Short mmCIF file of all heavy atoms in Angstrom, two decimals:
data_model
loop_
_atom_site.label_atom_id
_atom_site.label_comp_id
_atom_site.label_asym_id
_atom_site.label_seq_id
_atom_site.Cartn_x
_atom_site.Cartn_y
_atom_site.Cartn_z
N ARG A 167 4.62 5.14 -0.93
CA ARG A 167 4.31 4.97 -2.35
C ARG A 167 4.15 6.30 -3.05
O ARG A 167 4.50 6.44 -4.23
CB ARG A 167 3.05 4.11 -2.51
CG ARG A 167 2.53 4.04 -3.95
CD ARG A 167 1.70 2.83 -4.21
NE ARG A 167 2.54 1.64 -4.27
CZ ARG A 167 3.26 1.30 -5.34
NH1 ARG A 167 3.25 2.05 -6.42
NH2 ARG A 167 4.00 0.22 -5.33
N GLN A 168 3.63 7.30 -2.36
CA GLN A 168 3.43 8.62 -2.95
C GLN A 168 4.60 9.56 -2.67
O GLN A 168 4.55 10.74 -3.03
CB GLN A 168 2.14 9.23 -2.41
CG GLN A 168 0.89 8.43 -2.77
CD GLN A 168 -0.30 8.83 -1.94
OE1 GLN A 168 -0.42 9.97 -1.48
NE2 GLN A 168 -1.22 7.90 -1.73
N ALA A 169 5.66 9.03 -2.04
CA ALA A 169 6.84 9.83 -1.70
C ALA A 169 6.46 11.09 -0.94
O ALA A 169 6.98 12.18 -1.19
CB ALA A 169 7.64 10.18 -2.96
N GLN A 170 5.55 10.94 0.02
CA GLN A 170 5.15 12.08 0.84
C GLN A 170 6.27 12.46 1.80
O GLN A 170 7.10 11.63 2.18
CB GLN A 170 3.89 11.73 1.63
CG GLN A 170 2.66 11.50 0.77
CD GLN A 170 1.45 11.10 1.59
OE1 GLN A 170 1.54 10.87 2.80
NE2 GLN A 170 0.29 11.00 0.94
N ALA A 171 6.28 13.72 2.20
CA ALA A 171 7.28 14.18 3.16
C ALA A 171 7.02 13.57 4.53
O ALA A 171 7.97 13.24 5.26
CB ALA A 171 7.27 15.70 3.24
N LYS A 172 5.74 13.41 4.86
CA LYS A 172 5.39 12.84 6.15
C LYS A 172 3.95 12.35 6.10
O LYS A 172 3.18 12.70 5.20
CB LYS A 172 5.56 13.85 7.28
CG LYS A 172 4.64 15.06 7.18
CD LYS A 172 4.89 16.02 8.32
CE LYS A 172 3.98 17.26 8.20
NZ LYS A 172 4.24 18.21 9.30
N VAL A 173 3.58 11.53 7.07
CA VAL A 173 2.19 11.15 7.26
C VAL A 173 1.79 11.54 8.67
O VAL A 173 2.59 11.46 9.60
CB VAL A 173 1.95 9.64 7.03
CG1 VAL A 173 2.21 9.26 5.59
CG2 VAL A 173 2.78 8.80 7.97
N VAL A 174 0.56 11.98 8.81
CA VAL A 174 -0.01 12.30 10.12
C VAL A 174 -1.20 11.38 10.32
O VAL A 174 -2.09 11.28 9.47
CB VAL A 174 -0.44 13.78 10.20
CG1 VAL A 174 -1.08 14.07 11.56
CG2 VAL A 174 0.75 14.70 9.97
N PHE A 175 -1.23 10.71 11.47
CA PHE A 175 -2.23 9.68 11.72
C PHE A 175 -2.81 9.89 13.12
O PHE A 175 -2.08 10.16 14.07
CB PHE A 175 -1.56 8.30 11.62
CG PHE A 175 -2.46 7.14 11.93
CD1 PHE A 175 -3.27 6.60 10.93
CD2 PHE A 175 -2.50 6.58 13.20
CE1 PHE A 175 -4.10 5.52 11.21
CE2 PHE A 175 -3.33 5.49 13.47
CZ PHE A 175 -4.13 4.97 12.47
N GLN A 176 -4.13 9.75 13.23
CA GLN A 176 -4.80 9.90 14.51
C GLN A 176 -5.60 8.65 14.83
O GLN A 176 -6.16 8.01 13.94
CB GLN A 176 -5.74 11.11 14.50
CG GLN A 176 -5.02 12.46 14.38
CD GLN A 176 -5.99 13.61 14.33
OE1 GLN A 176 -7.06 13.51 13.77
NE2 GLN A 176 -5.60 14.72 14.93
N SER A 177 -5.66 8.29 16.10
CA SER A 177 -6.42 7.12 16.52
C SER A 177 -6.80 7.27 17.98
O SER A 177 -6.07 7.86 18.78
CB SER A 177 -5.59 5.85 16.32
OG SER A 177 -6.28 4.72 16.83
N VAL A 178 -7.97 6.70 18.32
CA VAL A 178 -8.39 6.68 19.74
C VAL A 178 -7.80 5.46 20.43
O VAL A 178 -7.87 5.36 21.66
CB VAL A 178 -9.93 6.66 19.85
CG1 VAL A 178 -10.53 7.92 19.28
CG2 VAL A 178 -10.51 5.43 19.17
N ASN A 179 -7.20 4.54 19.68
CA ASN A 179 -6.63 3.32 20.26
C ASN A 179 -5.19 3.57 20.72
O ASN A 179 -4.23 3.13 20.11
CB ASN A 179 -6.65 2.18 19.23
CG ASN A 179 -8.06 1.78 18.87
OD1 ASN A 179 -8.97 1.87 19.69
ND2 ASN A 179 -8.26 1.37 17.63
N GLN A 180 -5.06 4.31 21.83
CA GLN A 180 -3.73 4.67 22.31
C GLN A 180 -2.90 3.46 22.68
O GLN A 180 -1.69 3.42 22.43
CB GLN A 180 -3.85 5.62 23.51
CG GLN A 180 -4.50 6.95 23.17
CD GLN A 180 -4.39 7.92 24.34
OE1 GLN A 180 -3.49 7.83 25.14
NE2 GLN A 180 -5.32 8.86 24.42
N GLY A 181 -3.52 2.47 23.30
CA GLY A 181 -2.77 1.30 23.72
C GLY A 181 -2.16 0.54 22.56
O GLY A 181 -1.13 -0.12 22.71
N GLN A 182 -2.78 0.65 21.39
CA GLN A 182 -2.29 -0.06 20.21
C GLN A 182 -1.08 0.63 19.61
O GLN A 182 -0.29 0.00 18.90
CB GLN A 182 -3.41 -0.15 19.17
CG GLN A 182 -3.04 -0.92 17.91
CD GLN A 182 -4.19 -0.99 16.94
OE1 GLN A 182 -5.31 -0.58 17.25
NE2 GLN A 182 -3.94 -1.50 15.75
N TYR A 183 -0.93 1.92 19.89
CA TYR A 183 0.11 2.71 19.21
C TYR A 183 1.03 3.41 20.20
O TYR A 183 1.16 4.63 20.20
CB TYR A 183 -0.54 3.73 18.27
CG TYR A 183 -1.32 3.09 17.15
CD1 TYR A 183 -2.70 3.33 17.01
CD2 TYR A 183 -0.71 2.25 16.24
CE1 TYR A 183 -3.42 2.75 15.98
CE2 TYR A 183 -1.42 1.65 15.21
CZ TYR A 183 -2.78 1.91 15.08
OH TYR A 183 -3.48 1.32 14.06
N GLN A 184 1.67 2.62 21.07
CA GLN A 184 2.77 3.15 21.85
C GLN A 184 4.00 3.21 20.94
O GLN A 184 4.03 2.63 19.86
CB GLN A 184 3.02 2.26 23.07
CG GLN A 184 1.86 2.22 24.04
CD GLN A 184 1.51 3.58 24.62
OE1 GLN A 184 2.39 4.29 25.09
NE2 GLN A 184 0.23 3.96 24.57
N MET A 185 5.04 3.92 21.39
CA MET A 185 6.17 4.19 20.51
C MET A 185 6.80 2.91 19.96
O MET A 185 7.16 2.84 18.77
CB MET A 185 7.22 5.02 21.25
CG MET A 185 8.39 5.45 20.35
SD MET A 185 7.90 6.40 18.89
CE MET A 185 7.39 7.95 19.65
N LYS A 186 6.92 1.88 20.79
CA LYS A 186 7.52 0.63 20.32
C LYS A 186 6.68 0.00 19.20
O LYS A 186 7.22 -0.46 18.19
CB LYS A 186 7.62 -0.36 21.49
CG LYS A 186 8.22 -1.73 21.13
CD LYS A 186 9.64 -1.62 20.59
CE LYS A 186 10.35 -2.95 20.54
NZ LYS A 186 9.66 -3.93 19.67
N GLN A 187 5.35 0.03 19.36
CA GLN A 187 4.49 -0.52 18.33
C GLN A 187 4.58 0.29 17.04
O GLN A 187 4.58 -0.28 15.94
CB GLN A 187 3.03 -0.57 18.81
CG GLN A 187 2.73 -1.66 19.81
CD GLN A 187 3.01 -1.25 21.24
OE1 GLN A 187 3.60 -0.21 21.49
NE2 GLN A 187 2.58 -2.07 22.19
N ILE A 188 4.68 1.61 17.18
CA ILE A 188 4.78 2.47 15.99
C ILE A 188 6.06 2.15 15.22
O ILE A 188 6.06 2.01 13.99
CB ILE A 188 4.76 3.96 16.39
CG1 ILE A 188 3.44 4.31 17.07
CG2 ILE A 188 4.98 4.85 15.17
CD1 ILE A 188 3.42 5.67 17.71
N GLN A 189 7.16 2.03 15.95
CA GLN A 189 8.44 1.70 15.31
C GLN A 189 8.38 0.34 14.62
O GLN A 189 8.87 0.17 13.49
CB GLN A 189 9.55 1.72 16.35
CG GLN A 189 9.85 3.10 16.93
CD GLN A 189 10.79 3.05 18.10
OE1 GLN A 189 10.99 2.00 18.73
NE2 GLN A 189 11.40 4.18 18.43
N ASP A 190 7.76 -0.63 15.29
CA ASP A 190 7.65 -1.98 14.71
C ASP A 190 6.82 -1.97 13.44
O ASP A 190 7.16 -2.64 12.45
CB ASP A 190 7.04 -2.94 15.72
CG ASP A 190 7.99 -3.27 16.88
OD1 ASP A 190 9.19 -2.98 16.75
OD2 ASP A 190 7.51 -3.80 17.90
N ILE A 191 5.73 -1.21 13.44
CA ILE A 191 4.87 -1.15 12.25
C ILE A 191 5.61 -0.49 11.09
O ILE A 191 5.56 -0.96 9.95
CB ILE A 191 3.57 -0.39 12.57
CG1 ILE A 191 2.69 -1.21 13.53
CG2 ILE A 191 2.79 -0.07 11.29
CD1 ILE A 191 1.49 -0.46 14.07
N ALA A 192 6.33 0.61 11.37
CA ALA A 192 7.09 1.28 10.32
C ALA A 192 8.14 0.35 9.73
O ALA A 192 8.33 0.28 8.51
CB ALA A 192 7.73 2.55 10.87
N GLN A 193 8.83 -0.38 10.60
CA GLN A 193 9.85 -1.32 10.13
C GLN A 193 9.21 -2.45 9.32
O GLN A 193 9.77 -2.89 8.30
CB GLN A 193 10.61 -1.90 11.32
CG GLN A 193 11.77 -2.81 10.95
CD GLN A 193 12.85 -2.09 10.18
OE1 GLN A 193 13.07 -0.90 10.34
NE2 GLN A 193 13.54 -2.82 9.30
N ARG A 194 8.03 -2.88 9.74
CA ARG A 194 7.34 -3.95 9.02
C ARG A 194 6.97 -3.53 7.60
O ARG A 194 7.08 -4.31 6.65
CB ARG A 194 6.06 -4.32 9.79
CG ARG A 194 5.29 -5.51 9.26
CD ARG A 194 5.99 -6.80 9.61
NE ARG A 194 6.70 -7.37 8.49
CZ ARG A 194 7.62 -8.31 8.59
NH1 ARG A 194 7.97 -8.78 9.77
NH2 ARG A 194 8.22 -8.79 7.53
N VAL A 195 6.55 -2.27 7.45
CA VAL A 195 6.21 -1.76 6.12
C VAL A 195 7.42 -1.81 5.20
O VAL A 195 7.34 -2.25 4.05
CB VAL A 195 5.67 -0.32 6.20
CG1 VAL A 195 5.48 0.26 4.79
CG2 VAL A 195 4.35 -0.27 6.96
N LEU A 196 8.58 -1.38 5.70
CA LEU A 196 9.79 -1.35 4.88
C LEU A 196 10.24 -2.76 4.50
O LEU A 196 10.76 -2.98 3.40
CB LEU A 196 10.90 -0.61 5.62
CG LEU A 196 10.66 0.88 5.85
CD1 LEU A 196 11.76 1.48 6.73
CD2 LEU A 196 10.57 1.63 4.53
N ILE A 197 10.02 -3.72 5.40
CA ILE A 197 10.38 -5.11 5.09
C ILE A 197 9.39 -5.71 4.09
O ILE A 197 9.78 -6.41 3.14
CB ILE A 197 10.42 -5.96 6.38
CG1 ILE A 197 11.59 -5.51 7.26
CG2 ILE A 197 10.55 -7.44 6.06
CD1 ILE A 197 11.61 -6.15 8.63
N ASP A 198 8.10 -5.43 4.30
CA ASP A 198 7.08 -5.98 3.42
C ASP A 198 7.07 -5.36 2.04
O ASP A 198 6.59 -5.97 1.08
CB ASP A 198 5.69 -5.78 4.05
CG ASP A 198 5.42 -6.71 5.22
OD1 ASP A 198 6.24 -7.63 5.46
OD2 ASP A 198 4.41 -6.51 5.91
N HIS A 199 7.60 -4.14 1.93
CA HIS A 199 7.57 -3.41 0.65
C HIS A 199 8.97 -2.89 0.31
O HIS A 199 9.21 -1.67 0.27
CB HIS A 199 6.58 -2.25 0.73
CG HIS A 199 5.16 -2.69 0.91
ND1 HIS A 199 4.31 -2.95 -0.14
CD2 HIS A 199 4.46 -2.97 2.04
CE1 HIS A 199 3.15 -3.34 0.33
NE2 HIS A 199 3.21 -3.37 1.65
N PRO A 200 9.91 -3.78 0.04
CA PRO A 200 11.28 -3.33 -0.24
C PRO A 200 11.38 -2.45 -1.49
O PRO A 200 12.34 -1.68 -1.63
CB PRO A 200 12.05 -4.64 -0.44
CG PRO A 200 11.01 -5.65 -0.81
CD PRO A 200 9.78 -5.25 -0.05
N ASP A 201 10.39 -2.54 -2.37
CA ASP A 201 10.41 -1.70 -3.57
C ASP A 201 10.16 -0.23 -3.25
O ASP A 201 10.39 0.64 -4.09
CB ASP A 201 9.38 -2.19 -4.59
CG ASP A 201 7.95 -2.10 -4.07
OD1 ASP A 201 7.74 -2.38 -2.86
OD2 ASP A 201 7.05 -1.77 -4.86
N LEU A 202 9.68 0.07 -2.04
CA LEU A 202 9.41 1.46 -1.64
C LEU A 202 10.48 2.00 -0.70
O LEU A 202 10.35 3.12 -0.21
CB LEU A 202 8.04 1.55 -0.95
CG LEU A 202 6.84 1.07 -1.76
CD1 LEU A 202 5.56 1.22 -0.94
CD2 LEU A 202 6.73 1.84 -3.06
N ASN A 203 11.52 1.22 -0.46
CA ASN A 203 12.52 1.63 0.54
C ASN A 203 13.59 2.52 -0.10
O ASN A 203 14.68 2.07 -0.44
CB ASN A 203 13.16 0.40 1.19
CG ASN A 203 13.92 0.78 2.46
OD1 ASN A 203 14.09 1.95 2.76
ND2 ASN A 203 14.36 -0.22 3.19
N TYR A 204 13.24 3.79 -0.23
CA TYR A 204 14.19 4.82 -0.65
C TYR A 204 14.49 5.74 0.54
O TYR A 204 14.86 6.89 0.37
CB TYR A 204 13.62 5.62 -1.81
CG TYR A 204 13.38 4.79 -3.06
CD1 TYR A 204 12.14 4.20 -3.29
CD2 TYR A 204 14.39 4.59 -3.99
CE1 TYR A 204 11.92 3.43 -4.44
CE2 TYR A 204 14.19 3.83 -5.13
CZ TYR A 204 12.95 3.25 -5.35
OH TYR A 204 12.75 2.49 -6.47
N VAL A 205 14.30 5.21 1.73
CA VAL A 205 14.34 6.00 2.95
C VAL A 205 15.66 5.82 3.69
O VAL A 205 16.09 4.69 3.95
CB VAL A 205 13.17 5.61 3.88
CG1 VAL A 205 13.26 6.37 5.19
CG2 VAL A 205 11.84 5.89 3.20
N ASP A 206 16.30 6.93 4.02
CA ASP A 206 17.52 6.89 4.82
C ASP A 206 17.18 6.73 6.30
O ASP A 206 17.83 5.98 7.02
CB ASP A 206 18.32 8.18 4.59
CG ASP A 206 19.62 8.21 5.37
OD1 ASP A 206 20.20 7.13 5.60
OD2 ASP A 206 20.06 9.31 5.75
N SER A 207 16.14 7.43 6.75
CA SER A 207 15.74 7.34 8.16
C SER A 207 14.30 7.83 8.31
O SER A 207 13.74 8.48 7.41
CB SER A 207 16.67 8.19 9.04
OG SER A 207 16.59 9.57 8.69
N LEU A 208 13.72 7.51 9.45
CA LEU A 208 12.37 7.95 9.81
C LEU A 208 12.43 8.75 11.10
O LEU A 208 13.19 8.41 12.01
CB LEU A 208 11.43 6.77 10.02
CG LEU A 208 11.21 5.79 8.87
CD1 LEU A 208 10.40 4.60 9.39
CD2 LEU A 208 10.49 6.45 7.73
N GLU A 209 11.64 9.80 11.20
CA GLU A 209 11.48 10.55 12.45
C GLU A 209 10.05 10.35 12.92
O GLU A 209 9.11 10.68 12.19
CB GLU A 209 11.79 12.03 12.24
CG GLU A 209 13.22 12.32 11.81
CD GLU A 209 13.46 13.79 11.54
OE1 GLU A 209 12.64 14.62 12.03
OE2 GLU A 209 14.43 14.12 10.83
N ILE A 210 9.89 9.82 14.12
CA ILE A 210 8.56 9.50 14.64
C ILE A 210 8.27 10.37 15.85
O ILE A 210 9.06 10.44 16.79
CB ILE A 210 8.46 8.02 15.02
CG1 ILE A 210 8.75 7.13 13.80
CG2 ILE A 210 7.07 7.71 15.59
CD1 ILE A 210 8.78 5.65 14.12
N ARG A 211 7.12 11.04 15.82
CA ARG A 211 6.64 11.81 16.96
C ARG A 211 5.23 11.35 17.28
O ARG A 211 4.44 11.10 16.38
CB ARG A 211 6.64 13.32 16.65
CG ARG A 211 8.02 13.91 16.39
CD ARG A 211 7.92 15.41 16.12
NE ARG A 211 9.23 16.00 15.93
CZ ARG A 211 9.86 16.07 14.76
NH1 ARG A 211 9.28 15.56 13.68
NH2 ARG A 211 11.04 16.62 14.66
N ALA A 212 4.94 11.25 18.56
CA ALA A 212 3.60 10.83 18.98
C ALA A 212 3.17 11.67 20.18
O ALA A 212 3.96 11.86 21.12
CB ALA A 212 3.58 9.35 19.33
N SER A 213 1.96 12.19 20.14
CA SER A 213 1.40 12.93 21.27
C SER A 213 0.13 12.22 21.71
O SER A 213 -0.67 11.77 20.88
CB SER A 213 1.10 14.38 20.87
OG SER A 213 0.20 14.45 19.79
N TYR A 214 -0.05 12.14 23.02
CA TYR A 214 -1.15 11.37 23.59
C TYR A 214 -2.07 12.27 24.41
O TYR A 214 -1.62 13.00 25.28
CB TYR A 214 -0.61 10.23 24.47
CG TYR A 214 0.25 9.25 23.71
CD1 TYR A 214 1.61 9.49 23.51
CD2 TYR A 214 -0.30 8.11 23.16
CE1 TYR A 214 2.40 8.59 22.80
CE2 TYR A 214 0.48 7.21 22.46
CZ TYR A 214 1.83 7.46 22.27
OH TYR A 214 2.60 6.59 21.57
N GLY A 215 -3.35 12.22 24.07
CA GLY A 215 -4.39 12.93 24.82
C GLY A 215 -5.64 12.10 24.73
O GLY A 215 -5.63 10.90 25.01
N ARG A 216 -6.74 12.73 24.33
CA ARG A 216 -7.94 11.94 24.08
C ARG A 216 -7.73 10.99 22.91
O ARG A 216 -8.32 9.93 22.83
CB ARG A 216 -9.12 12.86 23.80
CG ARG A 216 -9.54 13.72 24.99
CD ARG A 216 -10.72 14.58 24.66
NE ARG A 216 -11.90 13.77 24.31
CZ ARG A 216 -13.04 14.29 23.88
NH1 ARG A 216 -13.16 15.60 23.74
NH2 ARG A 216 -14.05 13.49 23.60
N GLU A 217 -6.88 11.43 21.98
CA GLU A 217 -6.48 10.60 20.86
C GLU A 217 -4.96 10.61 20.78
O GLU A 217 -4.31 11.50 21.33
CB GLU A 217 -7.06 11.13 19.54
CG GLU A 217 -8.57 11.10 19.45
CD GLU A 217 -9.05 11.56 18.09
OE1 GLU A 217 -8.28 12.26 17.39
OE2 GLU A 217 -10.19 11.24 17.71
N VAL A 218 -4.41 9.63 20.12
CA VAL A 218 -2.98 9.65 19.84
C VAL A 218 -2.80 10.22 18.44
O VAL A 218 -3.49 9.83 17.50
CB VAL A 218 -2.35 8.24 19.95
CG1 VAL A 218 -3.04 7.24 19.04
CG2 VAL A 218 -0.86 8.30 19.61
N GLU A 219 -1.91 11.20 18.31
CA GLU A 219 -1.57 11.75 17.00
C GLU A 219 -0.13 11.40 16.69
O GLU A 219 0.78 11.70 17.47
CB GLU A 219 -1.75 13.27 16.96
CG GLU A 219 -1.39 13.86 15.60
CD GLU A 219 -1.76 15.31 15.45
OE1 GLU A 219 -2.97 15.63 15.56
OE2 GLU A 219 -0.85 16.14 15.23
N ILE A 220 0.06 10.72 15.58
CA ILE A 220 1.37 10.22 15.18
C ILE A 220 1.83 10.95 13.93
O ILE A 220 1.08 11.05 12.96
CB ILE A 220 1.31 8.70 14.91
CG1 ILE A 220 0.83 7.96 16.17
CG2 ILE A 220 2.66 8.17 14.45
CD1 ILE A 220 0.41 6.53 15.90
N GLU A 221 3.03 11.45 13.96
CA GLU A 221 3.62 12.12 12.80
C GLU A 221 4.92 11.41 12.44
O GLU A 221 5.81 11.29 13.27
CB GLU A 221 3.89 13.59 13.09
CG GLU A 221 4.50 14.33 11.91
CD GLU A 221 4.75 15.79 12.22
OE1 GLU A 221 3.76 16.53 12.46
OE2 GLU A 221 5.93 16.20 12.26
N ILE A 222 4.99 10.90 11.23
CA ILE A 222 6.18 10.19 10.77
C ILE A 222 6.75 10.94 9.57
O ILE A 222 6.09 11.10 8.55
CB ILE A 222 5.86 8.74 10.38
CG1 ILE A 222 5.26 7.99 11.58
CG2 ILE A 222 7.10 8.02 9.87
CD1 ILE A 222 4.85 6.57 11.28
N THR A 223 7.97 11.41 9.72
CA THR A 223 8.66 12.13 8.65
C THR A 223 9.63 11.21 7.95
O THR A 223 10.40 10.50 8.60
CB THR A 223 9.42 13.34 9.23
OG1 THR A 223 8.48 14.20 9.90
CG2 THR A 223 10.11 14.13 8.12
N PHE A 224 9.59 11.20 6.62
CA PHE A 224 10.47 10.35 5.82
C PHE A 224 11.66 11.16 5.32
O PHE A 224 11.49 12.20 4.68
CB PHE A 224 9.72 9.79 4.61
CG PHE A 224 8.47 9.03 4.95
CD1 PHE A 224 7.23 9.43 4.44
CD2 PHE A 224 8.50 7.93 5.79
CE1 PHE A 224 6.08 8.73 4.75
CE2 PHE A 224 7.36 7.23 6.11
CZ PHE A 224 6.14 7.63 5.59
N ASN A 225 12.84 10.70 5.63
CA ASN A 225 14.06 11.31 5.10
C ASN A 225 14.60 10.40 4.00
O ASN A 225 15.11 9.31 4.26
CB ASN A 225 15.10 11.47 6.22
CG ASN A 225 14.60 12.37 7.34
OD1 ASN A 225 14.06 13.43 7.09
ND2 ASN A 225 14.76 11.92 8.57
#
Side-chain angles (χ1 to χ4, degrees):
R167 172 156 287 281
Q168 297 165 28
Q170 294 177 353
K172 64 181 179 181
V173 295
V174 178
F175 177 85
Q176 293 178 325
S177 175
V178 296
N179 295 328
Q180 296 189 27
Q182 182 179 353
Y183 296 120
Q184 297 300 311
M185 185 57 71
K186 179 61 167 60
Q187 285 87 349
I188 298 170
Q189 293 171 341
D190 289 345
I191 291 171
Q193 185 63 30
R194 186 75 257 164
V195 173
L196 294 174
I197 292 172
D198 286 351
H199 296 270
D201 63 321
L202 303 180
N203 195 352
Y204 297 93
V205 176
D206 181 30
S207 62
L208 301 172
E209 297 177 19
I210 301 175
R211 297 181 177 87
S213 59
Y214 298 86
R216 294 182 62 186
E217 296 183 339
V218 56
E219 179 170 300
I220 301 165
E221 180 180 296
I222 302 177
T223 301
F224 304 121
N225 299 313

